[in-house]
Amino acid sequence: MSDSCIFCKIISNEIQGAVIHRDEQVTAFRDIQPVAPTHILIVPNRHIESVNALEGSDEQLMGHLITTAAKLAKKEGIEQGGYRLIMNTGADGGQTVFHVHLHLIGGQMMKHPMG
Ligand code: AMP
């Protein structure tokens, strides 16, 4: 847990978030500024700054992050239409919150190009 991290505060219930899933490893909540009808963030419960800080021992955790996203996509009814999973990393990647998070975005046709 990082005292200054907004996502750590949502995970610990210190601040209110629209949490839709919790388990021992990850928490999922709705993005405060959704860019599509479904916009969910799935985050590890442990504070990890970015993909750059991941270690080999985090591979199971990161796999769980993705399979949780797939389950939530099904729950949201967007698995057939499709969706986008994004993990921004660092300044050039557009990362603004430095706690690893996977964006699950869907419910509309995605636009291209991504960059
Ligand atoms: P990124 O730019 O990839 O770091 O994404 C950070 C995301 O966190 C943005 O889409 C923000 O809208 C979202 N966000 C920031 N603060 C909150 C919050 N308190 N609750 C939910 N989502 C948030």
Side-chain angles (χ1 to χ4, degrees), residues 6-7 10 15 29-33 39 41 88 94-97 101 103:
I6 188 101
F7 289 175
I10 292 173
I15 66 163
F29 50 90
R30 295 198 187 276
D31 196 292
I32 205 166
Q33 286 187 297
H39 189 169
L41 301 173
N88 295 325
Q95 185 176 8
T96 59
V97 178
H101 51 280
H103 294 258

Side-chain angles (χ1 to χ4, degrees), residues 4-56:
S4 57
C5 173
I6 188 101
F7 289 175
C8 282
K9 288 179 180 166
I10 292 173
I11 293 161
S12 67
N13 281 325
E14 198 179 317
I15 66 163
Q16 187 85 23
V19 173
I20 56 170
H21 171 86
R22 276 182 203 282
D23 63 36
E24 282 181 4
Q25 297 185 89
V26 303
T27 298
F29 50 90
R30 295 198 187 276
D31 196 292
I32 205 166
Q33 286 187 297
V35 298
T38 294
H39 189 169
I40 294 168
L41 301 173
I42 305 107
V43 309
N45 293 339
R46 176 163 57 88
H47 184 78
I48 304 171
E49 279 215 349
S50 82
V51 167
N52 285 334
L54 291 171
E55 296 176 359

Side-chain angles (χ1 to χ4, degrees), residues 77-83 108-109:
I78 59 171
E79 87 278 23
Q80 292 301 327
Y83 49 88
Q108 69 184 28
M109 180 73 83

